[in-house]
Amino acid sequence: MREKQSREKQAEGQKSHVRELDRIYRDDGRANETAEETEQRHSEDIFRTIARRNNTSAKEAEQRHSDDRLWASARRNSMPAEETKERRSDDRLRAIARRNNESFEVKNQRQASDRLRTLNSRPIESNEQRERRIHCNTLGNQNRIGAETFDARRNRLQLERMRQGSLRASNWLYLKDETFHYDPNFDYPNFPQIVIGSMSSKCPFCGAQKVEAETSGLCCSSGNVSLQELPQLPKPLKSLMEGNDPKSKEFLRMIRKYNSSFQNTSFGTSLPMLHSTGFKPTFRIQSQVYHKAGSLMSLPNEEAKFLYIYFLENDDAEAKRRCTLIPRTTKSLIESFQKMLHESNHYVQKFKTAIEDNPTEDLQIFINADKKLIEGYERAFNTPALNEVDIIIVGNDFEKRDIVLTIRSNELKNICETHISYDALQYPLMFPRGEDGYTININEVERGTANQINQMVSIMSFYSNRLMVRST
């Protein structure tokens, strides 16, 4: 008691001198103690600190935390760069050692506390603090990734994939097998994993309607992709597609069968299809998928199929043959589509004209892989010029991607997927006039203009643009 009163009366200089002597005495004592004594002292200090802090009030604890932060901040600001680097290295090693020894429950509790602290701190940070935090995080990530070894990078990417997979799986976990356990009391349309929102976003460049989560450049690469607008469907296809025909429901339910009745090419793979075991409503393929084209006319004693059917003697025989090949199709619909394609599809027209004008066995029909659209009236479809679907003589040269059809042959030829007629020949009801598909020589344009630039439209950009919904 007397010592305490004596120290209170001491001048500040005397107090500093006494503290310095205490530190020297303490340092000398610690330098001579054994490892066991050091560990014992640390343990006693920890227990003494815990006991003291348990008896402090909330206000005193808050004041102590504030003083500790100020003291630590002042001490770190006065540290030279080398000491700061060493301190951070020691802190990291100490944190790693501590976390390696923590239990699963302690780890979860620590991570939950970290998340809560982050959620509480970020709403109150200023713009400057936020920018500094993002900048520091970016630099830290770049330095860490730049210094990692090949094995470390591979492990990091693998962990990220596993973490993403676990996160996605957990988001869908409560919907697992829900198809087989449908509950009418659940409001499925409002499940966040199912609802993608309305198409309330509209592209300012091409007018495509999109949901909010879709990227801005998905439809037209932000104005760099400008394709000729597809024309309206001819009758009766338009009314059937829009549901304005009594047979619309039947047609839409079996649209693939009706398209197969008129397709000019067949589906094939580079390796044989895999045989399915048991009942499976699908088939399995391996390796590359191809569209294949045969000859224009069937061989002697061979049944007509694909392109051959277009050249039968009359419309009735043509319709009957299509209904025989594709069962459960309605003859009246087949006849209406047949009439439409003969009148509107320029491929069918060119094939028939070529055969009628050149009735020889040596005839070959050549379809250029990169034929260009003819410039004309906007929104109108232009049929190709004569030099775009050409008749050539045997022995003439042609490009590798071009399609060359002979009069009669038992050979099937693969059609390159970048051929401009690839889609129209396989899907005649989607492209009833033979509209052009993707080819490798479509140029992008300057944003907001029609000026072409030295950049080609990718196949993904082409079909993304075509598949978008736009208001008419």
Side-chain angles (χ1 to χ4, degrees):
M1 185 68 179
R2 282 196 302 271
E3 183 179 356
K4 181 178 180 182
Q5 292 174 350
S6 174
R7 289 194 175 184
E8 288 177 353
K9 295 178 181 179
Q10 289 176 340
E12 187 62 33
Q14 292 175 318
K15 290 181 181 179
S16 299
H17 180 66
V18 171
R19 291 194 193 102
E20 184 64 26
L21 291 176
D22 288 343
R23 278 195 293 271
I24 294 173
Y25 172 76
R26 189 166 56 248
D27 291 342
D28 290 340
R30 292 178 180 178
N32 297 323
E33 66 185 6
T34 62
E36 291 79 7
E37 291 174 336
T38 301
E39 186 176 354
Q40 178 66 27
R41 177 173 54 80
H42 287 166
S43 178
E44 291 174 355
D45 289 344
I46 291 171
F47 283 120
R48 188 164 49 249
T49 301
I50 292 173
R52 185 176 67 250
R53 291 181 179 179
N54 287 338
N55 294 325
T56 58
S57 63
K59 186 176 181 180
E60 291 174 333
E62 185 178 352
Q63 181 62 40
R64 176 176 55 80
H65 290 158
S66 177
D67 293 341
D68 288 345
R69 283 193 293 269
L70 290 174
W71 176 77
S73 178
R75 183 167 57 86
R76 291 177 180 179
N77 289 336
S78 62
M79 275 186 179
E82 288 296 328
E83 287 187 23
T84 300
K85 186 176 180 180
E86 184 178 355
R87 174 182 58 80
R88 289 174 177 171
S89 177
D90 292 340
D91 289 344
R92 281 193 293 269
L93 292 175
R94 191 161 49 247
I96 291 172
R98 184 176 65 251
R99 291 181 180 181
N100 287 338
N101 295 325
E102 66 185 4
S103 63
F104 181 76
E105 292 78 10
V106 173
K107 179 181 178 181
N108 284 343
Q109 185 177 2
R110 174 179 57 80
Q111 290 176 342
S113 300
D114 290 344
R115 285 192 294 269
L116 183 61
R117 186 166 55 250
T118 300
L119 289 174
N120 292 333
S121 64
R122 290 191 177 175
I124 61 175
E125 67 181 359
S126 63
N127 291 334
E128 183 180 353
Q129 290 173 327
R130 180 177 179 273
E131 291 177 2
R132 185 167 61 249
R133 173 176 58 80
I134 294 174
H135 179 67
C136 291
N137 290 342
T138 303
L139 289 179
N141 289 334
Q142 290 175 350
N143 293 334
R144 185 176 66 255
I145 292 174
E148 66 185 1
T149 62
F150 175 79
D151 291 336
R153 180 176 182 273
R154 183 176 59 186
N155 292 336
R156 174 176 58 82
L157 294 177
Q158 179 65 20
L159 289 173
E160 288 179 1
R161 284 192 290 268
M162 292 174 61
R163 186 163 55 248
Q164 288 291 337
S166 300
L167 179 62
R168 290 169 183 166
S170 63
N171 288 338
W172 286 95
L173 188 60
Y174 64 96
L175 289 175
K176 183 180 180 181
D177 297 332
E178 194 65 25
T179 303
F180 306 104
H181 306 92
Y182 179 80
D183 188 345
N185 297 319
F186 284 175
D187 189 12
Y188 290 105
N190 287 327
F191 276 43
Q193 282 75 18
I194 297 175
V195 177
I196 61 174
S198 61
M199 299 176 71
S200 56
S201 178
K202 187 174 182 179
C203 176
F205 301 102
C206 68
Q209 297 175 340
K210 298 180 292 184
V211 297
E212 293 182 0
E214 287 182 306
T215 56
S216 58
L218 179 64
C219 51
C220 62
S221 297
S222 300
N224 292 124
V225 176
S226 179
L227 304 179
Q228 186 180 29
E229 187 176 345
L230 291 174
Q232 287 195 356
L233 296 172
K235 295 181 180 180
L237 190 57
K238 186 175 186 296
S239 59
L240 287 165
M241 290 291 292
E242 293 176 348
N244 299 326
D245 191 282
K247 296 182 180 179
S248 290
K249 185 177 292 186
E250 175 197 345
F251 167 69
L252 294 174
R253 188 177 68 251
M254 302 176 62
I255 188 170
R256 293 179 64 183
K257 284 183 175 290
Y258 282 104
N259 182 79
S260 298
S261 299
F262 294 94
Q263 63 188 22
N264 301 305
T265 55
S266 60
F267 174 91
T269 60
S270 56
L271 293 176
M273 292 188 185
L274 300 172
H275 295 290
S276 298
T277 57
F279 172 76
K280 290 186 179 180
T282 58
F283 59 91
R284 297 183 296 165
I285 62 174
Q286 56 182 340
S287 191
Q288 180 68 45
V289 173
Y290 290 106
H291 290 175
K292 297 174 177 285
S295 58
L296 294 171
M297 306 290 288
S298 59
L299 295 171
N301 301 322
E302 183 183 8
E303 294 283 353
K305 56 185 177 180
F306 297 110
L307 268 174
Y308 314 164
I309 305 176
Y310 286 99
F311 309 110
L312 293 178
E313 60 272 13
N314 56 63
D315 294 342
D316 186 63
E318 186 178 334
K320 286 182 179 179
R321 181 57 185 160
R322 296 187 192 280
C323 292
T324 302
L325 287 174
I326 309 295
R328 297 173 57 199
T329 51
T330 302
K331 187 181 177 184
S332 59
L333 281 177
I334 291 290
E335 289 175 338
S336 61
F337 292 142
Q338 192 171 277
K339 183 174 183 294
M340 175 192 72
L341 292 174
H342 278 285
E343 293 175 352
S344 304
N345 191 286
H346 69 78
Y347 287 108
V348 175
Q349 294 170 354
K350 290 290 182 181
F351 294 157
K352 294 186 71 174
T353 302
I355 292 175
E356 291 171 359
D357 294 346
N358 299 270
T360 64
E361 292 295 322
D362 291 337
L363 172 69
Q364 288 186 333
I365 293 183
F366 158 72
I367 307 177
N368 192 313
D370 300 316
K371 68 183 178 67
K372 292 282 190 178
L373 287 172
I374 302 173
E375 295 182 1
Y377 185 72
E378 188 179 3
R379 299 173 64 91
F381 177 76
N382 301 290
T383 55
L386 288 176
N387 62 348
E388 293 168 348
V389 180
D390 283 340
I391 301 170
I392 63 174
I393 308 301
V394 174
N396 283 26
D397 294 332
F398 50 86
E399 296 294 331
K400 181 179 179 180
R401 293 188 301 117
D402 295 337
I403 300 175
V404 179
L405 302 176
T406 57
I407 288 293
R408 286 186 174 86
S409 173
N410 58 0
E411 179 185 1
L412 293 177
K413 299 176 182 178
N414 293 334
I415 300 178
C416 181
E417 64 273 11
T418 58
H419 195 289
I420 203 167
S421 304
Y422 186 82
D423 294 331
L425 294 175
Q426 181 72 12
Y427 308 106
L429 294 190
M430 291 179 65
F431 307 97
R433 294 182 177 86
E435 292 88 338
D436 288 337
Y438 174 75
T439 187
I440 57 178
N441 62 355
I442 303 175
N443 290 80
E444 291 188 358
V445 297
E446 290 182 1
R447 190 173 301 172
T449 71
N451 301 327
Q452 294 186 353
I453 60 176
N454 190 25
Q455 179 72 32
M456 297 302 169
V457 175
S458 69
I459 190 168
M460 180 177 178
S461 298
F462 179 89
Y463 286 107
S464 294
N465 185 280
R466 281 287 187 237
L467 291 172
M468 284 293 164
V469 176
R470 296 174 177 85
S471 57
T472 55

